[in-house]
Every structure is written in structure tokens, then in C-alpha cells.
Amino acid sequence: MNKWLHSWAAPMVFYDRAGRLLLPLWMLAVVLTGIGVVWGLFLAPADYLQGDAFRIIYVHVPSAWMAMFVYMFMASAALVALVWRVKLAEVLARESAPIGAVFTALALATGSLWGKPMWGTWWVWDARLTSVLLLLFLYLGFIGLQSAIDDRRLAARAGAVLALVGVVNIPIIHYSVVWWNTLHQGASVSRLDAPAIDPSMLWPLLLVAAGFTSYFGALLLLRARLEILAREAGRRWVAERLQVAEQ
Amino acid sequence: MRQAALGVLRRELLLALRRRSDYAQPLLFLALVVTLFPLALGADPAMLQAAGPGILWVTAALATLLSLEGMFRDDHASGLLEQLLLSPHPASLLVGMKIFGHWLATGLPIVLFAPLFALLLNLPAAGFGVLMLSLLLGTPVLTLVGAIGAALTLGLPRGGLLIALLVLPLYVPVLIFGAGAVAGAVAGLPVAGQLYVLGAELSAALVLAPVATAAALRVTTS
């Protein structure tokens, strides 16, 4: 098992295996998100309080989950890159940041659209909104640092320190609706007791979340493959692969 | 080890003393920005009093930010930083002493002069004690967290703007509780809770920030 895991770290091996995983992941992403969205937007019952306006939850909540999940993924990859100097982990941390930033922006935008009919305002300076906005800035700072340092390996290690420092924000986001009783509604799915959401609404939510995760996986592998090609340019295996692709 | 740590601190303070005008700049910046607010917002005393705690804390954070870029720059250019990292003593301790010296030269003056700026913003004298105490607990956090950003952007062209992007999001918890404490004190509310949180943030930053800064310096000086 350990040996099998280690074999992934070689750029060439990763490039080939990730290439084989791409198609299944894309299909999974399209099918799961498709079913979840259709189910959530058309088939699930309307909320007794919020009517049909609540249906944006099927985009908002999964993207907010992804915003945090991608950051934790990025920080874990950063830790591996910093401690064990694994090149592949550097690539994964670097390439997951823009995807996470987009998910965070999507969560903020959909939340804002949801807030207008429900709260009567696009934005409030509530603890959860503010901490998610900070998460977006953390992503952008990480991306900015990556692009400011030309040496990729140096950039990866500097970014890793920054990503790990930023981890303090994640528990604040997660517990902000518990610690501060604000306009944002409390957690309804990830609770220790049964979820406070009806199964007919929960299932499409989980499907979309799984679809988004597959999408993240597919996009990350795609980006990581390109980054590896750029890093390893000039190696013989790269030339071989590209020649095969050209023919 | 103690000798090395004290040596770093003494050198830092000596440099600050010899180049007083460099280190006075953040304070002057603070004074100027505080002056701009009444001119832009209008000089209504009640409004200034309401906005005062927030203005003071934001300008204190910006003044700290401004001082960060020079924190490691000269020592990096002269090679001293590499010697610190190569020394047998823990790098986090030596870097921590450097940060402490930097705070004594840039942060402490802000704490001491804060009542003067508070007067300009029409804050009642009753809030001065809490203002100084909150700044005393909060500005070291700003310097400690800022040191990580300064270390990460060391040697980069146009690093100054990038520091702001990296560090300002991390300043938010300090700003919330610092300005909250002062506003509460001005309104006559109990503020022990906010001050405790600031103290907790300071403890966490004291333990973690020197380690992260030393790690970042090892990356950017390599």
C-alpha cells in the first residue's frame, strides 16, 4: 500500500495515471451534478418557509463546502510539500488554489443572491460571510505569492507556509454560525444528531456535493498534468508523450 | 543562547536609535491619516467619537503594515539574516527577538501616542486606558503576524503591496476585538471579554509566529 502510494509521487507515473482517471472523473462530475441539480431544482419539495427561493441551496451549500474542503486539501498538500519536499504535493497545492478561489467566489455570489429575497439585503457583515470573504482573500494572497516568485520550488515552499498560517480561518468559518448567533442560518447537515433537513432535500444536496468534488478532482488532475509538463519540460518522457499525442 | 538573543535585541534597538527618522515614519503616517478622517468625514464631534475607535485601530494596523517591508530587508542585504539562521541557537528565538525589537521601535510608540490621536478624534478620556491596553495587547500581534508576511515576500520586487494582500486578512481578528474593546469602553460597557480574546491572540501569535517566520525566512533566503 505504502509502496503503491509512493509510486504516485513520480511525475511521469502521476501524469499517466491521472490521464487515465480524467475521463471517469469528468463523467462522474457531469452525471452526479446533473442528477442533483435536476432533482433539487425541479423535483424536491419547496421549503414551507422560503418557498422556491431556497433552491439556490443546491449550488450555494456545496460550493461553500468545497471552498473549505479545497483549502484543507491545499493546506494538507502544502504540509506534505514542506515537510517531505514532495514535488507532486507542491504541484497539487499550487493548482488547487485557483479552483478553491472560484468555489469561494461562487459561494459568496450565490449566498448574496439568496440573501436578497430572504434577508432583504445583498450583504451583511455577519461572522460567516466575513470569514468566507477572508477565505477568498487568503486564496488570492496565496495565488499572488505563487505568481510573484519565479522559482517554482521556492514559490511552493513559501506558499506552503502561508497556506498553513491561513488554516486558522477554517474552524472560524465552520463554527461562526454556532459561536455568533447572526443572520446566517445554523448548520443543518453536518450535525452530530440527525440532520435537520428532510431526506428529500438532503439527497440532491449530497449528489451535487459529490458532483462538485468529482469536478474538483478532474480539474485538479488536468491542471496538475499541465503544470507537471511545464516543470518537466525538456525531459525525455515529456517529449515521448507529446510526440505520441501529436501523431 | 540568552547572550545571542539579547545581542540580537540590542542590535535591533541600537539601529532604531541611530535611524530615528526611519522608525518615526509609521507614527507620522498614523498622525497624518488620523488627520485626514475629520477632514473627509466632517468634524461632527459625535460622529468622530463613534468612528474613532475603528479609525485608530485601522490606522494603527496600516502603520504597522507600512513598517513591515523594511523589517528584514537590510539584514538580508548585509547577510546578517543568513548568519542568524545558520547559528546553533534556535532560529525562531533569534527571529522572535528581532520581531520584539521591531515592535519596541514601531509598535510601542503607537501605543504611547494613542491618547493624543484619541483626543483629536474626540474620544472621552475614560476610554484612554482601554485604548492603550488594547493596543498594547494587539499591536504585538500585528507585528508578529506581519513578520510572516515580511519574511515570505523578502527579496521580491514590489513586495510591499503583496505583504498587504497576505497580512491584512490575518489582521481582521485583532481589529475586530481591538476596536470592539475601545468602542465598548467609550460606551461604558464591560470590555474584559474583548481584552481576554486579544490576550489569547497575543499568546497564540507569540508561540506560532516566530516559528512560521523562521520557516519562511529559510525558504526566501535559500
Coordinates of all heavy atoms in Angstrom, one line a residue, chain A residues 82 130 134 137-138 140-142 144-145 148-149 153-155 157-159 161-162 165-166 168 172 180, chain B residues 145 148 152-153 156-157 162 165-166 168-170 172-173 176-177 208 212-213 215-216 218-220 222:
Chain A
L82 N 6.0 20.8 2.4 CA 7.0 21.5 3.2 C 7.8 20.5 4.0 O 9.1 20.7 4.2 CB 6.2 22.4 4.2 CG 7.0 23.5 4.8 CD1 7.5 24.5 3.8 CD2 6.2 24.3 5.8
T130 N -18.2 37.3 6.6 CA -16.9 37.9 6.7 C -15.8 36.9 6.6 O -14.8 37.1 5.9 CB -16.8 38.7 8.0 OG1 -18.0 39.5 8.1 CG2 -15.6 39.6 8.0
L134 N -12.8 36.5 3.9 CA -11.4 36.4 4.3 C -10.8 35.2 3.6 O -9.6 35.2 3.2 CB -11.2 36.3 5.8 CG -11.6 37.6 6.5 CD1 -11.3 37.5 8.0 CD2 -10.7 38.7 6.0
F137 N -9.8 36.0 0.3 CA -8.6 36.8 0.3 C -7.3 36.0 0.5 O -6.3 36.2 0.0 CB -8.6 38.0 1.3 CG -9.6 39.1 0.9 CD1 -10.4 39.7 1.9 CD2 -9.7 39.5 -0.4 CE1 -11.3 40.7 1.5 CE2 -10.5 40.5 -0.8 CZ -11.3 41.1 0.2
L138 N -7.5 34.9 1.4 CA -6.4 34.0 1.7 C -6.0 33.3 0.4 O -4.8 33.2 0.1 CB -6.7 33.0 2.7 CG -6.8 33.6 4.2 CD1 -7.3 32.5 5.1 CD2 -5.5 34.1 4.6
L140 N -6.5 34.4 -2.7 CA -5.9 35.3 -3.6 C -4.5 35.7 -3.2 O -3.6 35.8 -4.1 CB -6.8 36.6 -3.7 CG -8.2 36.3 -4.3 CD1 -9.0 37.6 -4.3 CD2 -8.1 35.7 -5.7
G141 N -4.3 35.8 -1.9 CA -2.9 36.0 -1.4 C -2.0 34.9 -1.8 O -0.9 35.2 -2.2
F142 N -2.5 33.7 -1.6 CA -1.7 32.5 -2.0 C -1.3 32.5 -3.5 O -0.2 32.4 -3.9 CB -2.4 31.2 -1.6 CG -1.7 30.0 -1.9 CD1 -0.9 29.4 -1.0 CD2 -1.9 29.3 -3.1 CE1 -0.2 28.2 -1.3 CE2 -1.2 28.1 -3.4 CZ -0.4 27.6 -2.5
G144 N -1.3 35.1 -5.4 CA -0.4 36.3 -5.6 C 1.0 35.9 -5.3 O 1.9 36.3 -6.1
L145 N 1.2 35.2 -4.2 CA 2.6 34.9 -3.8 C 3.2 33.9 -4.8 O 4.3 34.0 -5.1 CB 2.5 34.3 -2.4 CG 3.9 34.0 -1.7 CD1 4.6 35.3 -1.5 CD2 3.7 33.3 -0.4
A148 N 4.3 35.7 -7.8 CA 5.3 36.7 -7.6 C 6.7 36.1 -7.5 O 7.7 36.8 -7.9 CB 5.1 37.5 -6.3
I149 N 6.8 34.8 -7.1 CA 8.1 34.2 -7.0 C 8.3 33.3 -8.3 O 7.5 32.5 -8.6 CB 8.2 33.3 -5.8 CG1 7.9 34.1 -4.5 CG2 9.6 32.7 -5.7 CD1 7.9 33.4 -3.3
R153 N 9.9 26.0 -7.2 CA 10.1 25.2 -5.9 C 10.1 26.2 -4.7 O 9.5 25.9 -3.7 CB 11.3 24.4 -6.0 CG 11.3 23.4 -7.1 CD 11.9 22.1 -6.7 NE 11.2 21.5 -5.6 CZ 11.6 20.3 -5.0 NH1 12.7 19.8 -5.4 NH2 10.8 19.8 -4.1
L154 N 10.7 27.3 -4.9 CA 10.7 28.3 -3.8 C 9.3 28.8 -3.6 O 8.9 29.0 -2.4 CB 11.6 29.5 -4.3 CG 12.6 30.0 -3.2 CD1 13.6 28.9 -2.8 CD2 13.4 31.2 -3.8
A155 N 8.6 29.1 -4.6 CA 7.2 29.6 -4.5 C 6.4 28.6 -3.8 O 5.5 29.0 -2.9 CB 6.6 29.9 -5.9
R157 N 7.3 26.4 -1.5 CA 7.5 26.3 -0.1 C 7.1 27.6 0.6 O 6.5 27.5 1.7 CB 9.0 26.1 0.1 CG 9.4 24.6 -0.2 CD 10.8 24.4 -0.3 NE 11.6 24.7 0.9 CZ 12.9 25.1 0.9 NH1 13.5 25.1 -0.3 NH2 13.5 25.3 2.0
A158 N 7.2 28.8 0.0 CA 6.7 30.0 0.6 C 5.2 29.9 0.7 O 4.6 30.2 1.8 CB 7.2 31.2 -0.2
G159 N 4.6 29.4 -0.4 CA 3.1 29.3 -0.3 C 2.6 28.3 0.7 O 1.6 28.5 1.3
V161 N 4.0 27.7 3.6 CA 4.0 28.4 5.0 C 2.7 29.3 5.1 O 2.0 29.2 6.1 CB 5.2 29.3 5.1 CG1 5.1 30.1 6.4 CG2 6.5 28.4 5.1
L162 N 2.4 30.0 4.0 CA 1.2 30.9 4.0 C -0.1 30.1 4.2 O -0.9 30.4 5.0 CB 1.2 31.7 2.8 CG 0.1 32.7 2.7 CD1 0.3 33.8 3.7 CD2 -0.1 33.3 1.3
V165 N -0.5 28.9 7.7 CA -0.9 30.0 8.6 C -2.4 30.3 8.5 O -3.1 30.5 9.4 CB 0.0 31.3 8.3 CG1 -0.6 32.5 9.1 CG2 1.4 31.0 8.7
G166 N -2.9 30.3 7.2 CA -4.3 30.6 6.9 C -5.3 29.6 7.5 O -6.4 29.8 7.5
V168 N -6.0 28.8 10.3 CA -6.7 29.2 11.5 C -8.1 29.7 11.1 O -9.0 29.7 11.9 CB -6.0 30.4 12.2 CG1 -4.7 29.9 12.9 CG2 -5.7 31.5 11.3
I172 N -12.9 28.9 12.2 CA -13.7 30.1 12.5 C -14.9 30.1 11.5 O -16.0 30.4 12.0 CB -12.9 31.4 12.3 CG1 -11.7 31.4 13.3 CG2 -13.7 32.6 12.4 CD1 -10.9 32.6 13.3
W180 N -21.5 32.7 17.0 CA -22.3 34.0 16.9 C -23.6 33.8 16.4 O -23.8 33.2 15.3 CB -21.5 35.0 16.0 CG -20.2 35.4 16.6 CD1 -20.0 36.3 17.6 CD2 -18.9 34.9 16.2 NE1 -18.6 36.4 17.8 CE2 -18.0 35.6 17.0 CE3 -18.5 34.1 15.2 CZ2 -16.6 35.4 16.8 CZ3 -17.1 33.9 15.1 CH2 -16.2 34.5 15.9
Chain B
V145 N 2.4 38.8 13.3 CA 1.8 38.2 12.1 C 2.4 38.8 10.8 O 2.6 38.2 9.8 CB 0.2 38.4 12.1 CG1 -0.4 38.0 10.8 CG2 -0.4 37.6 13.2
I148 N 5.6 37.3 9.4 CA 5.5 36.2 8.5 C 5.3 36.7 7.1 O 6.0 36.2 6.2 CB 4.2 35.3 8.9 CG1 4.3 34.9 10.3 CG2 4.1 34.1 8.0 CD1 3.0 34.2 10.8
L152 N 7.9 36.2 4.0 CA 7.5 35.5 2.8 C 7.8 36.3 1.5 O 8.1 35.7 0.5 CB 6.1 35.1 2.8 CG 5.6 34.0 3.7 CD1 4.1 33.8 3.7 CD2 6.2 32.7 3.2
T153 N 7.8 37.6 1.6 CA 7.9 38.4 0.5 C 9.3 39.0 0.4 O 9.6 39.9 -0.5 CB 6.9 39.6 0.5 OG1 7.1 40.3 1.7 CG2 5.5 39.1 0.3
L156 N 11.5 40.1 -2.9 CA 10.6 40.2 -4.1 C 10.6 41.6 -4.6 O 10.4 42.5 -3.8 CB 9.2 39.7 -3.8 CG 9.1 38.2 -3.5 CD1 7.6 37.9 -3.3 CD2 9.6 37.4 -4.7
P157 N 10.6 41.8 -5.9 CA 10.3 43.2 -6.4 C 8.9 43.5 -6.1 O 8.0 42.7 -6.3 CB 10.7 43.1 -7.9 CG 10.6 41.7 -8.2 CD 10.9 40.9 -7.0
L162 N 2.2 43.1 -2.0 CA 1.9 41.7 -1.7 C 1.8 41.5 -0.2 O 0.9 40.7 0.2 CB 2.9 40.9 -2.3 CG 2.6 39.4 -2.4 CD1 1.4 39.1 -3.2 CD2 3.8 38.6 -3.1
L165 N -1.6 42.2 0.9 CA -2.6 41.2 0.5 C -2.5 40.0 1.4 O -3.5 39.3 1.7 CB -2.3 40.8 -1.0 CG -3.3 39.9 -1.7 CD1 -4.7 40.5 -1.6 CD2 -2.9 39.6 -3.1
L166 N -1.3 39.6 1.8 CA -1.1 38.4 2.6 C -1.5 38.7 4.1 O -2.0 37.8 4.7 CB 0.4 38.0 2.6 CG 1.0 37.7 1.2 CD1 2.4 37.1 1.5 CD2 0.2 36.7 0.5
L168 N -3.2 41.5 5.7 CA -4.4 42.2 6.1 C -5.5 41.2 6.5 O -6.2 41.4 7.5 CB -4.9 43.3 5.1 CG -4.1 44.6 5.2 CD1 -4.6 45.5 4.1 CD2 -4.2 45.2 6.5
P169 N -5.8 40.2 5.7 CA -6.8 39.2 6.1 C -6.6 38.6 7.5 O -7.5 38.4 8.3 CB -6.8 38.1 5.0 CG -6.2 38.8 3.9 CD -5.2 39.8 4.4
L170 N -5.3 38.5 7.8 CA -5.0 37.9 9.1 C -5.1 38.9 10.3 O -5.1 38.5 11.4 CB -3.5 37.3 9.1 CG -3.4 36.2 8.0 CD1 -1.9 35.8 7.9 CD2 -4.1 34.9 8.4
V172 N -7.6 40.8 10.7 CA -9.0 41.1 11.0 C -9.4 40.7 12.4 O -10.1 41.5 13.1 CB -9.9 40.4 10.0 CG1 -11.4 40.4 10.4 CG2 -9.8 41.0 8.6
P173 N -9.1 39.5 12.9 CA -9.5 39.2 14.3 C -9.0 40.2 15.3 O -9.7 40.6 16.3 CB -8.9 37.8 14.6 CG -8.6 37.2 13.3 CD -8.3 38.4 12.3
I176 N -11.1 43.4 15.0 CA -12.5 43.3 15.5 C -12.5 43.5 17.0 O -13.3 44.3 17.6 CB -13.1 41.9 15.1 CG1 -13.3 41.8 13.6 CG2 -14.4 41.7 15.9 CD1 -13.8 40.5 13.1
F177 N -11.6 42.7 17.7 CA -11.7 42.8 19.2 C -11.0 44.0 19.7 O -11.4 44.5 20.7 CB -11.0 41.5 19.7 CG -11.9 40.3 19.5 CD1 -11.5 39.4 18.5 CD2 -13.1 40.1 20.2 CE1 -12.3 38.3 18.2 CE2 -13.9 39.0 19.9 CZ -13.5 38.1 18.9
L208 N 3.4 30.9 17.8 CA 3.4 30.3 16.5 C 4.2 31.2 15.5 O 4.9 30.7 14.6 CB 2.0 30.1 16.0 CG 1.2 29.1 16.8 CD1 -0.3 29.0 16.4 CD2 1.8 27.7 16.8
A212 N 6.8 30.2 12.3 CA 6.4 30.4 10.9 C 7.4 31.4 10.2 O 7.8 31.1 9.1 CB 5.0 30.8 10.9
T213 N 7.7 32.5 10.9 CA 8.6 33.4 10.3 C 10.0 32.8 10.0 O 10.5 33.0 8.9 CB 8.8 34.7 11.2 OG1 7.5 35.1 11.6 CG2 9.5 35.8 10.5
A215 N 10.6 29.7 9.5 CA 10.5 28.8 8.4 C 10.4 29.5 7.1 O 11.0 29.1 6.1 CB 9.2 27.9 8.6
A216 N 9.7 30.7 7.1 CA 9.5 31.4 5.8 C 10.9 32.0 5.4 O 11.2 32.1 4.2 CB 8.5 32.5 6.0
R218 N 13.8 30.8 6.0 CA 14.7 29.8 5.5 C 14.3 29.5 4.0 O 15.2 29.2 3.2 CB 14.4 28.5 6.2 CG 15.2 28.4 7.5 CD 15.2 27.0 8.1 NE 15.4 27.0 9.5 CZ 16.5 27.2 10.1 NH1 17.6 27.4 9.4 NH2 16.6 27.2 11.4
V219 N 13.1 29.7 3.7 CA 12.7 29.5 2.3 C 13.2 30.6 1.4 O 13.8 30.4 0.4 CB 11.1 29.4 2.1 CG1 10.7 29.3 0.7 CG2 10.6 28.2 2.9
T220 N 12.9 31.9 1.9 CA 13.2 33.0 1.0 C 14.7 33.4 1.0 O 15.1 34.1 0.1 CB 12.3 34.2 1.4 OG1 12.3 34.4 2.8 CG2 10.9 34.0 0.9
S222 N 17.0 31.1 0.9 CA 17.8 30.0 0.3 C 18.1 30.3 -1.2 O 17.4 31.0 -1.8 CB 17.0 28.7 0.4 OG 15.8 28.8 -0.3

